[in-house]
Amino acid sequence: MKPNGILTALRAGAYLHHLQLLSEAPARLAEFYGSAMDMTVKPLGDDLWLCQGPARRILVGKGHSKTLGFCAFACRDSFGLDELRARAAAEGLEPDPSPSPLFEDQAFSVRDPDGNVVVFGLAPQLAAEAQERPRLHGPLQHLTLATQDPDALEAFYSGKLGFAVSDRVRNDKGEVNTCWTRSNHEHHTLAFFRSRHQGIDHHSYEAGEWTKIR
C-alpha cells in the first residue's frame, strides 16, 4: 500500500541541496565554481572537492567530464524523508544507501530510467554556513536533465516519487519537449528537456537581483 498523499516529494518539502559533478580534472573544475559562484573550496578526500557558499554546495569528483554523479534533495524533516522512502519502496524502487557525505545517515538514493542517481536525506544544520561568504547569496535552485524520453522521467519523478508537474511544453507532434516539476513552493526544482543526449543539461542559482547577474 502506498503512503497517503500522491505528491510525496512535495509533502516532504524537498529542495535541491547539492549536486555532485564529475570531471577528469576535478580540482580545476572545483576552482572554477569557487571563483564563478563565490564559494569556498576544500578537499574532502582523494579527487573529491567541496565548493560551498550560503545555500549552495557542489561536490566535484573524479570521472568522465560533464557528467552528473548524483543530485541530492534535502527533506524538511524526518517524517517527510521516511514517507518518501516508504513511497519509493512501495513503487518497487529498492532504495540504496546514499553516496553523499553531506547528508545524515538515514539518507537513501534511487536511480531514474536514464541512470541518474537522486538522493534524498536530511541536511545537518551548519550555523556558520550563512556567514562564510556573504558577498553573494545565490542559493542552488534547480537542476535540468537532458533526456531522450521526457515522459519516462516524468512518470518516474511524478508517478513514483511524488514531484508535482508545474508545466509542460509540447512540440508540433504533441510530444512533451520540456517538463518542469517541483518538490516545494518553487515553480520547479527539477526539469527535463528532450534531447539526443541524456544526463545533466544545466543547474541554476537564484541570483536575487539584476546587479548580481551582471
Side-chain angles (χ1 to χ4, degrees):
M1 182 176 177
K2 297 179 184 178
N4 292 331
I6 191 168
L7 299 177
T8 315
L10 185 62
R11 284 161 55 96
Y15 65 95
L16 185 59
H17 184 268
H18 64 279
L19 305 173
Q20 186 190 52
L21 304 179
L22 301 181
S23 172
E24 293 166 5
R28 186 172 64 183
L29 186 61
E31 288 298 332
F32 167 81
Y33 277 104
S35 175
M37 291 305 300
D38 191 29
M39 295 191 280
T40 59
V41 178
K42 64 179 180 180
L44 294 185
D46 291 341
D47 291 325
L48 182 62
W49 300 80
L50 171 63
C51 306
Q52 181 167 280
R56 59 187 181 279
R57 304 150 204 90
I58 299 289
L59 289 168
V60 183
K62 183 75 170 180
H64 185 65
S65 293
K66 301 180 181 179
T67 57
L68 178 70
F70 57 81
C71 59
F73 288 84
C75 296
R76 182 188 306 113
D77 52 37
S78 59
F79 175 82
L81 178 62
D82 290 346
E83 186 179 55
L84 191 51
R85 182 194 290 272
R87 171 71 182 271
E91 295 287 352
L93 298 183
E94 298 182 359
D96 289 321
S98 165
S100 176
L102 302 185
F103 277 166
E104 296 179 358
D105 291 343
Q106 61 268 56
F108 70 93
S109 67
V110 292
R111 192 177 294 269
D112 74 17
D114 282 355
N116 301 301
V117 175
V118 56
V119 181
F120 297 95
L122 298 177
Q125 296 297 315
L126 301 176
E129 182 186 43
Q131 302 300 320
E132 281 188 355
R133 300 290 292 272
R135 187 167 63 87
L136 177 64
H137 182 51
L140 182 61
Q141 199 275 324
H142 75 263
L143 169 68
T144 297
L145 298 172
T147 180
Q148 298 176 26
D149 192 348
D151 292 330
L153 290 194
E154 179 183 329
F156 178 83
Y157 286 98
S158 178
K160 294 183 180 295
L161 293 175
F163 282 68
V165 175
S166 301
D167 278 304
R168 300 182 187 92
V169 172
R170 298 181 183 273
N171 59 25
D172 293 339
K173 299 177 182 179
E175 301 168 325
V176 174
N177 266 359
T178 307
C179 177
W180 290 273
T181 68
R182 65 191 182 97
S183 51
N184 56 37
H185 64 283
E186 299 278 357
H187 177 270
H188 59 283
T189 51
L190 184 62
F192 325 115
F193 285 179
R194 183 180 296 275
S195 173
R196 289 175 296 176
H197 310 288
Q198 63 185 43
I200 187 169
D201 182 90
H202 68 267
H203 64 281
S204 295
Y205 302 83
E206 188 176 308
E209 55 187 62
W210 174 240
T211 55
K212 296 295 185 186
I213 296 175
R214 289 191 300 174

